Every structure is written in structure tokens, then in C-alpha cells.
């Protein structure tokens, strides 16, 4: 075990990161970076993926691989997810992405968020608040979410598809690689896992 693994898994470190998460949520200081996505077919950038980042005054940069699992375990991912979604909606409203050829932004949903009974209402309310088009949003879930909660995902996607949102499957091939659920769920995009 390396020194980094010891420090990350140490209970004191977890407590510090939890405090950093709580502070960032309270002050709304999570950052969103937009990773452009290039279309080989169109020979241009056509979308971007919203990536959440956390920098703490005391701890510095905290990797999403470290803080996202903590928010999923204690349920704060639902509040964080809505903060990120609202930041994306605001960005879409106040930027001129159409002029740059960017058609939509991909926003990640965790399994915990997908299980929320009022998720659709929350997403729809923010889209209306910022007066953006639903087709400017692509909701992205991982292969794990799709395989473990197919009925929940199917219901969620059916309702949001009617509003005009699109859907992406991330990390395909990371473990399950079952083609059946790809065909059964209305994914517009499938992203292969780098492995």
C-alpha cells in the first residue's frame, strides 16, 4: 500500500473531506468544468460533459474519485447533483454555445439520484427557471446504474425523453458489457470505457 492510499483511506482524511464537501455545498463553491466532445462525423466540437471539481482551502484539490463516493454513501449526492445541474442550466442560459456549435451538455446522474421520486420534477423546474430547451441537456449514467436499476432508469428516461432530453451511457464495457440493456433503454449515445 502506497502512502497516498493510506492517507485517502484514513478515517481522519475522510472526516476532513466530508467537512470540505459540507463547506463547499453550503457556500456553493463546487466548480464545473466543461470537457468538450468532438464529433468525428461533423469534424467539430458538438457537446461538452460537465465535470464537478472540489478545491478546499485547507486540503487543496480533492479528486472526484474520493468525494463522489462519500456523497453517494451519505445521500448528499442528491443535493450536490441539483447544485451541479443548476450551474449547468445557468451556464447554458448565459453562454452563446449555439454560436460555437455546442448542441448540448452532458450531466451525470448517480444511482442515488435516479432513485429519487421527485427527480423529474426537480430537473424540469430548473430547466423552466433558466428558460433553456430540454434538448440542450443529455443525462449520463454509468453502466452500473443501468444494470442495477433498469426499471427505474426506463421510467425516468421515458418521461424525460418526452420532454426532449437525450441520454448517454458512460463506462460501457467496464464490467457488465451486456448489449441487451443498451437495446432496451433509449440511449442516444454510448461511451466506451477506456479499459
Amino acid at each position: 500500500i502506497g502512502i497516498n492510499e493510506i492517507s485517502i483511506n484514513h478515517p481522519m482524511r475522510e472526516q476532513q473531506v466530508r467537512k470540505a464537501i459540507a463547506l463547499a455545498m453550503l457556500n456553493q463553491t463546487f466548480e464545473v468544468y466543461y470537457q468538450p466532445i468532438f464529433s468525428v462525423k461533423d469534424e467539430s466540437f458538438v457537446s461538452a460533459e460537465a465535470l464537478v471539481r472540489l478545491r478546499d482551502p485547507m486540503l487543496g484539490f480533492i479528486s472526484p474519485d474520493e468525494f463522489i463516493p462519500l456523497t453517494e454513501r451519505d445521500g448528499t449526492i442528491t443535493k450536490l447533483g441539483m447544485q451541479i445541474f443548476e450551474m449547468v442550466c445557468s451556464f447554458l442560459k448565459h453562454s452563446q454555445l449555439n454560436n460555437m456549435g455546442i448542441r448540448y451538455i452532458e450531466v451525470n446522474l448517480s444511482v442515488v439520484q435516479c432513485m429519487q421520486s421527485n427527480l423529474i420534477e426537480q430537473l424540469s423546474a430548473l430547466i423552466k427557471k433558466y428558460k433553456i430547451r430540454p434538448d440542450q441537456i443529455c443525462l449520463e449514467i454509468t453502466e452500473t446504474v443501468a444494470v442495477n436499476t433498469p426499471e427505474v432508469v426506463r421510467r425516468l428516461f421515458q418521461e424525460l425523453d418526452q420532454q426532449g432530453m437525450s441520454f448517454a451511457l458512460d463506462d460501457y464495457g467496464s464490467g457488465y458489457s451486456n448489449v441487451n440493456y443498451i437495446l432496451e433503454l433509449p440511449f442516444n449515445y454510448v461511451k466506451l470505457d477506456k479499459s
Side-chain angles (χ1 to χ4, degrees), residues 90-121:
S90 177
F91 177 72
L92 283 165
K93 179 183 174 84
H94 297 104
S95 63
Q96 301 296 322
L97 294 180
N98 285 342
N99 296 344
M100 294 180 271
I102 303 297
R103 300 177 197 147
Y104 59 88
I105 302 290
E106 293 181 4
V107 183
N108 290 291
L109 287 181
S110 75
V111 67
V112 178
Q113 289 175 277
C114 289
M115 301 301 283
Q116 285 181 269
S117 60
N118 64 344
L119 178 64
I120 294 169
E121 291 79 13

Side-chain angles (χ1 to χ4, degrees), residues 4-154:
N4 290 338
E5 292 176 70
I6 291 171
S7 63
I8 287 174
N9 293 322
H10 194 274
M12 180 68 80
R13 170 69 180 188
E14 183 174 317
Q15 186 178 27
Q16 292 171 334
V17 172
R18 285 188 185 280
K19 284 182 182 177
I21 292 167
L23 185 65
M25 290 183 87
L26 179 67
N27 297 326
Q28 297 189 0
T29 54
F30 278 97
E31 300 172 349
V32 176
Y33 288 81
Y34 296 91
Q35 178 176 301
I37 298 173
F38 187 81
S39 167
V40 176
K41 179 182 174 187
D42 296 336
E43 297 183 353
S44 63
F45 292 102
V46 296
S47 65
E49 181 177 0
L51 304 173
V52 63
R53 297 294 181 256
L54 174 58
R55 294 182 200 288
D56 181 74
M58 299 294 289
L59 301 177
F61 175 76
I62 303 170
S63 169
D65 291 337
E66 186 176 6
F67 73 81
I68 294 290
L70 293 178
T71 63
E72 288 177 333
R73 281 202 301 268
D74 67 13
T76 56
I77 189 70
T78 58
K79 185 177 177 185
L80 174 59
M82 281 303 120
Q83 275 190 12
I84 301 309
F85 192 79
E86 184 161 8
M87 291 168 75
V88 169
C89 290
S90 177
F91 177 72
L92 283 165
K93 179 183 174 84
H94 297 104
S95 63
Q96 301 296 322
L97 294 180
N98 285 342
N99 296 344
M100 294 180 271
I102 303 297
R103 300 177 197 147
Y104 59 88
I105 302 290
E106 293 181 4
V107 183
N108 290 291
L109 287 181
S110 75
V111 67
V112 178
Q113 289 175 277
C114 289
M115 301 301 283
Q116 285 181 269
S117 60
N118 64 344
L119 178 64
I120 294 169
E121 291 79 13
Q122 289 182 51
L123 297 176
S124 298
L126 287 171
I127 286 172
K128 287 176 187 167
K129 175 181 176 181
Y130 287 93
K131 297 180 174 75
I132 61 170
R133 298 186 327 270
D135 68 354
Q136 292 178 281
I137 299 288
C138 177
L139 297 175
E140 182 175 296
I141 63 169
T142 63
E143 184 178 17
T144 306
V145 174
V147 169
N148 292 329
T149 59
E151 289 306 315
V152 172
V153 171
R154 185 176 290 109

